[in-house]
Amino acid sequence: MKLIARWASAFGAFWWDFLVGDTPELFFATVAIVVAAVLLGHHDDAGYVLLPVLAVVFLVSSAYRGRRRPRAVTPVDEAKSPDQ
Amino acid sequence: MSTSSTVVLILAVFGASTVEMVEALTIVVAAGVTRGWRSALEGAVAAVAVLTVIVLAVGVPLVHYVPIDALRVVVGALLLVLGLSWLRKSILRASGHKDLHDEDAIFATTTAELSRDEPPAGARTARDAVGFAVAFKGVFLEGMEVVLIVVSLGASQHRLGIAAAAAGAAAVLVAAVGVVVAKQLSQVPENLIKLAVGIMLTSFGLFWVGEGAGVHWPGSDLAIIVLIGVFVIITLATTAWLRTLQPGAPLPARTPIGTEQGEG
């Protein structure tokens, strides 16, 4: 029983890591794209424009979010500064 | 299914398999060098056998029993998650916002860890459980992403055999190159390959999600080529833009995207 629980846990962890991992915004982006495709699929020809636009917006915003940011200067940094 | 989308399918699967197998081979070589080649190779072969069984057990029923439109939406979503994730990572690495994947560092770390309780020299030809387990785990975990791509792309286009063959060819090629270059795996331009595969997976994923949901793509399968072109442009532009946003640090050398060594 323990073995099954461990396997189920490992299986769940694999899919969580695969689908969500450290970029949950891309998981939700995919869900949004699928929902948009289903809504537009049989009703509107604009789907072939909207889906790529959504994917591009989500990709660029996720990459922007993942950039390295300048570290805030702390009082310790200021104290160590040679100008002080 | 047009020839162009079949070619893109082969390239996507071959590229993805190459990237993942390079990472797996690094672990197998590290296990072989420190724990003995017999156990490491047996572990690798066992993992490939299990992965092959998974492709057959999951892929074949998918092709035959699941309605094609539902299948395309689901596998398209899977490809989209994977493709966007690879593309994001490659853009961040190419623009200097994320460290490159260093196969040499991984090799050194794995070798050091495995050397702690290294078997005696005389026991190198005997079976070693640690060497087997490390090689098996490395190949299995890296190979699972390849399996997902093979099953997804192969099943949605009813080209499971071609997709599996492309993955197998990449595995054989990487293994052959690995035998020749041994520890020189860092020379493989992984970021470039990962970026190209990310573009193809994202394009395929978007196409299949739309196709399965009933979206009418102008030009039918040729829309995949157009989507690839769109994502190439977006990738280049985003990478160039993010390079200008480096916080204080000197900009990385302006090499063509992804030609830096290593990554994963």
Side-chain angles (χ1 to χ4, degrees), chain A:
Chain A
M1 204 61 185
K2 270 186 181 174
L3 187 66
I4 293 172
R6 211 171 64 190
W7 279 24
S9 168
F11 186 74
F14 170 79
W15 280 102
W16 175 267
D17 189 48
F18 177 73
L19 294 174
V20 181
D22 54 358
T23 51
E25 73 273 18
L26 292 180
F27 172 72
F28 291 113
T30 302
V31 172
I33 289 170
V34 171
V35 170
V38 171
L39 290 177
L40 293 172
H42 295 288
H43 303 289
D44 197 334
D45 281 345
Y48 70 84
V49 175
L50 188 64
L51 297 188
V53 168
L54 280 176
V56 166
V57 168
F58 286 130
L59 172 66
V60 174
S61 56
S62 176
Y64 180 75
R65 182 176 165 269
R67 76 195 186 284
R68 282 194 180 117
R69 282 161 237 213
R71 199 164 59 92
V73 178
T74 64
V76 176
D77 293 328
E78 284 177 351
K80 285 181 182 172
S81 168
D83 298 335
Q84 300 277 320

